[in-house]
Amino acid sequence: MKHKLFTILIFLNFFIAIDYLNAKELKGTEFIATFLPNYHNNWRENDTKLRLGDSIYIFIYSEFDNVVYLQYRDVNANSYFDTLKISPNSIYTFKKPSYNFALRGYNLSGVIGTRNNSEVITNLSFYIKSEKPIIIYGHSQAVTTSESFNILPIEALGKEYIISAYNSSGLIDNFSFDLSSGSTPSQFAVVAIEDNTNVKIIPSSKTRYNNLNTQNITLKKGEVYLVQSEISVSELNLDLTGTIISSDKPVAVFAGHQRAAVPYDIIGSQPSRDYLVEQIPPLESWNLEVLAVPFPSPSQIQTTNLNDIIRIMAGFDNTEIYINGGLTTTLNKGKYLELPLISAYLIKGSAPILVTAYKRTSQVSASNSSGDPLMQIIPSVEQFGNNYKFISIQAWEYNSTTRNYNPVYDEHYITLIVNKN
């Protein structure tokens, strides 16, 4: 299979400009972030270039001459302090090996069993501070599985969140009839920005190490708590979507999936899967009206009856959902309506809603298809703007046979939604 494509939509994927908040709200001088577990095929390779080839990125944009400070730790608890000088109206690329700086879950490079950072407090976060306002976003790139996400300024964070993630991809081994090593979970992580932050987690489905129990944890500044869903032979597709998080001080929340097929119940011999991630906006940032449009299709996608999908989630009980002017359903807090994303939808809620789009799996059997799943929170109509800056990025992978570095992304897209007046 060819590597994935990048889809770039003005309000959607892989850009620096706008997401579920407007550009003004994305701009700040203080940020905190973490990188959820991705799936790393090469982490057990002896070749250092392969083992350290998967990378995490932080892209930094500044309108002015600027100085940016980064404070972070690696998996061995070593501390780092970097000072970056940013040129005006340019993108600074900060890159580190995922092997040393990303969270690790209970499925580590295809081996299930070791807990690692799953439901254990750790300190794998990045604290970013600048002298002048900047806009930043993160990207996790691994062999055949990549995704990007906006990183919100600390002033845009809140104390109550509802998780939007996706169903776990539990697989059964054809020989042992036990769980396959390729099984990957729904997941999220909470990051504290202040010491003595008390966090309450009410899971919507079983977590790997705490089942359905409410979890109460206390975090110091920069500490991270990763939660991953349970996967078992009898429960292959549990989803942490709808999990409620509350805290006594603002926190940052990142959610998604280690490596998902979309739809999760796809039938096929070799469905393509991909890492999913977004920073979740606090409930206070949700809005009433969202316009969702279909994703562009890559040139080599397999023709199937699969569709991209959207999920419309309610932030409060008894929320009425209107689609293209008609009352469609009523949802309670944390519940969602899923629809195929095959046409434009004008979605309105009687109370704040969150709409998440998912790009479909590109192939269901062995082929050379491009384009894997992605997850994207759709901004509300109230947050549209008239001034955007974005980039179309490229990553490079090492080929141990040719000993060359090859570009990863074959196709790039942009979608505009424009008022016809």
Side-chain angles (χ1 to χ4, degrees):
M1 185 187 75
K2 293 179 73 175
H3 213 294
K4 65 177 287 185
L5 79 162
F6 262 20
T7 301
I8 307 169
L9 299 100
I10 280 294
F11 62 89
L12 286 182
N13 200 36
F14 303 173
F15 66 99
I16 296 181
I18 185 168
D19 199 336
Y20 33 78
L21 298 174
N22 64 41
K24 182 178 179 180
E25 290 173 298
L26 285 173
K27 202 177 290 186
T29 59
E30 195 174 7
F31 303 77
I32 202 162
T34 192
F35 288 82
L36 296 174
N38 201 335
Y39 192 93
H40 302 280
N41 293 296
N42 293 334
W43 272 15
R44 300 183 185 280
E45 296 285 344
N46 291 324
D47 188 330
T48 301
K49 289 184 178 180
L50 290 175
R51 190 173 66 257
L52 302 183
D54 295 349
S55 302
I56 58 96
Y57 295 80
I58 297 175
F59 295 95
I60 306 170
Y61 171 79
S62 175
E63 295 180 69
F64 316 98
D65 279 317
N66 210 341
V67 178
V68 177
Y69 308 94
L70 278 81
Q71 180 179 349
Y72 53 102
R73 294 186 181 181
D74 63 18
V75 294
N76 297 313
N78 297 309
S79 296
Y80 302 84
F81 301 88
D82 292 350
T83 301
L84 313 177
K85 292 186 178 181
I86 313 295
S87 300
N89 296 309
S90 64
I91 306 295
Y92 187 98
T93 301
F94 175 86
K95 175 185 175 182
K96 292 293 178 181
S98 301
Y99 189 86
N100 296 323
F101 296 97
L103 292 169
R104 300 181 175 193
Y106 65 82
N107 183 334
L108 187 65
S109 194
V111 177
I112 296 177
T114 303
R115 187 167 184 166
N116 295 309
N117 305 130
S118 190
E119 292 175 80
V120 174
I121 296 174
T122 187
N123 206 324
L124 281 170
S125 67
F126 290 79
Y127 173 70
I128 304 111
K129 186 176 178 61
S130 62
E131 294 182 353
K132 301 172 185 177
I134 55 175
I135 298 174
I136 66 176
Y137 77 101
H139 178 65
S140 176
Q141 182 272 319
V143 175
T144 73
T145 174
S146 310
E147 176 72 299
S148 294
F149 57 98
N150 279 336
I151 301 174
L152 305 181
I154 283 178
E155 63 187 33
L157 304 181
K159 301 178 183 178
E160 184 172 5
Y161 294 83
I162 305 176
I163 292 298
S164 179
Y166 197 66
N167 300 73
S168 298
S169 293
L171 305 173
I172 300 295
D173 187 284
N174 293 329
F175 299 99
S176 67
F177 300 104
D178 200 353
L179 205 63
S180 165
S181 62
S183 299
T184 48
S186 178
Q187 59 187 6
F188 67 85
V190 182
V191 190
I193 61 173
E194 297 182 41
D195 288 338
N196 300 313
T197 298
N198 298 303
V199 180
K200 181 178 182 180
I201 300 171
I202 304 175
S204 60
S205 62
K206 293 179 183 178
T207 71
R208 180 72 173 182
Y209 297 102
N210 281 284
N211 208 318
L212 281 169
N213 296 316
T214 296
Q215 300 184 46
N216 292 281
I217 56 173
T218 300
L219 301 175
K220 298 177 182 177
K221 179 180 179 178
E223 288 187 333
V224 181
Y225 191 71
L226 169 68
V227 178
Q228 296 181 297
S229 65
E230 168 68 319
I231 304 177
S232 66
V233 172
S234 60
E235 296 177 300
L236 295 173
N237 302 121
L238 296 179
D239 183 5
L240 293 172
T241 295
T243 295
I244 296 174
I245 298 171
S246 57
S247 57
D248 61 354
K249 299 174 183 178
V251 294
V253 177
F254 301 83
H257 195 293
Q258 187 178 11
R259 197 178 188 185
V262 179
Y264 67 88
D265 55 356
I266 188 173
I267 298 175
S269 58
Q270 295 183 37
S272 60
R273 302 191 296 155
D274 212 18
Y275 176 67
L276 307 179
V277 62
E278 278 281 47
Q279 181 165 3
I280 305 300
L283 184 57
E284 65 192 57
S285 295
W286 295 20
N287 280 285
L288 302 177
E289 187 173 349
V290 174
L291 181 59
V293 299
F295 290 107
S297 290
S299 61
Q300 298 184 44
I301 194 168
Q302 279 188 359
T303 302
T304 67
N305 60 353
L306 302 179
N307 294 305
D308 302 333
I309 63 175
I310 58 170
R311 288 179 171 180
I312 306 163
M313 183 185 295
F316 299 88
D317 287 344
N318 302 311
T319 298
E320 295 177 342
I321 304 298
Y322 297 83
I323 298 178
N324 295 336
L327 177 61
T328 302
T329 190
T330 299
L331 299 173
N332 285 331
K333 182 176 183 176
K335 303 301 181 182
Y336 64 85
L337 171 68
E338 182 173 305
L339 297 171
L341 185 52
I342 56 178
S343 62
Y345 297 114
L346 179 59
I347 305 164
K348 295 184 179 181
S350 61
I353 57 174
L354 187 72
V355 178
T356 307
Y358 300 85
K359 188 82 183 86
R360 55 156 280 203
T361 285
S362 65
Q363 68 178 50
V364 297
S365 59
S367 87
N368 198 31
S369 298
S370 294
D372 289 337
L374 63 85
M375 167 186 174
Q376 190 63 56
I377 293 173
I378 309 296
S380 68
V381 172
E382 296 94 330
Q383 294 159 343
F384 283 6
N386 57 11
N387 186 9
Y388 299 87
K389 295 182 184 296
F390 63 92
I391 63 170
S392 178
I393 74 169
Q394 184 59 271
W396 300 79
E397 286 178 355
Y398 178 70
N399 185 310
S400 59
T401 301
T402 64
R403 297 185 180 180
N404 293 323
Y405 287 88
N406 301 316
V408 171
Y409 308 115
D410 299 325
E411 301 178 16
H412 301 248
Y413 297 88
I414 182 170
T415 296
L416 303 177
I417 297 179
V418 180
N419 191 322
K420 66 180 180 180
N421 297 323

